[in-house]
Amino acid sequence: MALVRLYALSLTRIVELTEDHISRDQEHTYLAVNQHPFVLPPRLARLIDDQLRHSTPRHSTTAGRRYLLPGQSPGRPRNPLGLADTLRHHGLPARAARNTAMMDALADLPPMVIADLLGIHPKTAERWATLAGENWSEYVSSLT
């Protein structure tokens, strides 16, 4: 749920994440989404490390990479609908959390940047910016 709340990632994208999306340097752990590395908070990085450390070879993809959220079938990720149901059962509505995170992100970054970072269509990001009440037209016109 932290990946939804912090980075506005969809559950569909989250379940496809593998250990290859995680990298580290001397100070930070990063999660790469659409080739863009996001710094993970230390506690979340430790949780992900623990998850990977305790996963078994049956949780690996056909290329041998382990999913962060493995499914019950060997070599498959967790089902995003099942994950949404589990989160909702625990009082954590993923859609509402993602919507809030998207609105927050659009308060700080232009829609085109958000579209590229999150891998969503630019028109979708524009619609979200309109819903958030953010007007980035001045920023865009300053670039030309």
Side-chain angles (χ1 to χ4, degrees), residues 1-2 8 20 22 28 32 53 57-58 61-62 77-78 85-87 97 105 107 113 117 120 130-131 137:
M1 184 55 126
D20 288 350
I22 304 295
H28 301 289
R53 194 173 18 259
R58 87 173 198 93
T61 67
T62 54
R78 182 148 186 196
D85 286 343
T86 300
L87 291 170
V113 173
L117 286 174
I120 62 176
T130 301
L131 287 171
S137 59

Side-chain angles (χ1 to χ4, degrees), residues 92-112:
L92 302 167
R95 181 176 290 153
R98 182 168 187 248
N99 292 351
T100 301
M102 187 78 73
M103 297 282 196
D104 288 345
L106 285 162
D108 297 327
L109 297 169
M112 291 303 291

Side-chain angles (χ1 to χ4, degrees), residues 21-22 25 36-37 52 55 59 76 93-94 103 110 121 125 133 139:
H21 292 94
I22 304 295
D25 65 17
H36 301 288
L52 287 171
S55 68
H59 293 142
R76 300 288 307 150
M103 297 282 196
H121 194 278
Y139 171 80

Side-chain angles (χ1 to χ4, degrees), residues 4 15 18 21 26 32 35 40-41 52 87 94 101 113 115-116 122 124 127 142:
V4 174
V15 298
T18 67
H21 292 94
Q26 297 294 341
Q35 309 302 333
L40 292 174
L52 287 171
L87 291 170
V113 173
D116 185 46
T124 301
R127 283 194 304 273
S142 72

Side-chain angles (χ1 to χ4, degrees), residues 1-140:
M1 184 55 126
L3 295 174
V4 174
R5 289 187 181 269
L6 292 173
Y7 307 110
L9 296 179
S10 68
L11 294 182
T12 304
R13 183 164 302 246
I14 291 170
V15 298
E16 292 293 332
L17 295 173
T18 67
E19 64 186 330
D20 288 350
H21 292 94
I22 304 295
S23 62
R24 294 164 187 81
D25 65 17
Q26 297 294 341
E27 297 179 31
H28 301 289
T29 300
Y30 301 90
L31 171 67
V33 178
N34 284 352
Q35 309 302 333
H36 301 288
F38 294 99
V39 175
L40 292 174
R43 288 178 107 181
L44 180 56
R46 281 192 300 276
L47 286 172
I48 289 173
D49 285 342
D50 288 347
Q51 174 71 15
L52 287 171
R53 194 173 18 259
H54 291 99
S55 68
T56 65
R58 87 173 198 93
H59 293 142
S60 299
T61 67
T62 54
R65 292 180 224 95
R66 290 173 293 172
Y67 285 106
L68 297 184
L69 296 174
Q72 290 189 2
S73 299
R76 300 288 307 150
R78 182 148 186 196
N79 182 308
L81 296 176
L83 179 57
D85 286 343
T86 300
L87 291 170
R88 200 171 21 260
H89 175 74
H90 292 288
L92 302 167
R95 181 176 290 153
R98 182 168 187 248
N99 292 351
T100 301
M102 187 78 73
M103 297 282 196
D104 288 345
L106 285 162
D108 297 327
L109 297 169
M112 291 303 291
V113 173
I114 295 295
D116 185 46
L117 286 174
L118 300 181
I120 62 176
H121 194 278
K123 291 285 184 192
T124 301
E126 285 288 339
R127 283 194 304 273
W128 274 100
T130 301
L131 287 171
E134 297 299 328
N135 185 346
W136 285 95
S137 59
E138 291 176 20
Y139 171 80
V140 173

